Amino acid sequence: MGEAVAGPDGLPRCPWGVGPADYTDYHDGEWGRPVHGDDALFERLSLEAFQSGLSWLTILRRREGFRRAFAGFRIHHVAAFTDADRARLLADPGIIRNRMKVDATLANARLLATWRPGELDELLWSFAPAAGADRPAPADTGQVPATTAESVALAAELKRRGLRFVGPTTAYAAMQACGVVNDHLAGCAFRTPRTG
């Protein structure tokens, strides 16, 4: 059930990474690879929040639209957005025009702009499993959890600090996307050791 499958090039991949080219490119080149930097992590957290209730493919296909609309997810730029910018975002067909998610992204940027440089990076990575404590590589997709104790704790800490739209599932998806955990399947050619 859900084991690694061969892609068109013959390389085994996580099943979701074999399909539309958007998925394959993201799986092969980005997902599960370590990401650092407050702006880059703000982008990942924001996109995971926008994905909630939708297909990740929907987000991938609008990613450039999101980047244009949100000033490349540069925290200090987004934090300076005005009511006119908010109205522009809610009318932009290049993104997901969900009022609650747009408002959460703007509020999160304003909050993160008050943090010291590197604080978001340090916080997110502080919830990485201890070296050598990673669970075994999942053999199939049924062994990949939706949340973990670490993602529950990360979500609680982000919420405690005032961030919005960061539940345990969203937090775990961000941890996967940013390489904080490595959930490429055991048989996947793109599984590489996690490094922080």
Side-chain angles (χ1 to χ4, degrees), residues 44-178:
R44 300 323 191 278
L45 283 170
S46 299
L47 292 178
E48 293 295 348
F50 272 102
Q51 184 273 332
S52 180
L54 302 170
S55 158
W56 181 242
L57 188 60
T58 300
I59 302 302
L60 279 180
R61 291 185 171 162
R62 291 187 170 142
R63 192 171 187 184
E64 289 310 312
F66 274 107
R67 286 175 169 165
R68 280 190 299 276
F70 284 97
F73 288 97
R74 292 173 304 223
I75 292 169
H76 288 278
H77 290 249
V78 179
F81 277 14
T82 64
D83 287 343
D85 289 307
R86 178 180 180 272
R88 170 184 56 80
L89 292 168
L90 292 173
D92 188 340
I95 67 169
I96 304 301
R97 294 171 288 181
N98 178 294
R99 187 176 313 276
M100 289 176 49
K101 294 175 183 179
V102 166
D103 287 346
T105 303
L106 298 178
N108 288 347
R110 291 182 190 113
L111 178 66
L112 291 171
T114 69
W115 291 18
R116 64 176 169 72
E119 189 171 353
L120 177 60
D121 191 307
E122 289 173 17
L123 176 65
L124 198 146
W125 278 91
S126 74
F127 287 87
D134 287 321
R135 67 185 184 278
D140 60 51
T141 55
Q143 294 179 0
V144 178
T147 64
T148 62
E150 292 89 355
S151 77
V152 170
L154 173 59
E157 181 60 16
L158 291 170
K159 287 180 181 178
R160 186 188 73 75
R161 293 185 182 213
L163 273 80
R164 295 161 52 181
F165 245 98
V166 286
T169 302
T170 296
Y172 193 64
M175 292 170 78
Q176 292 172 305
C178 297

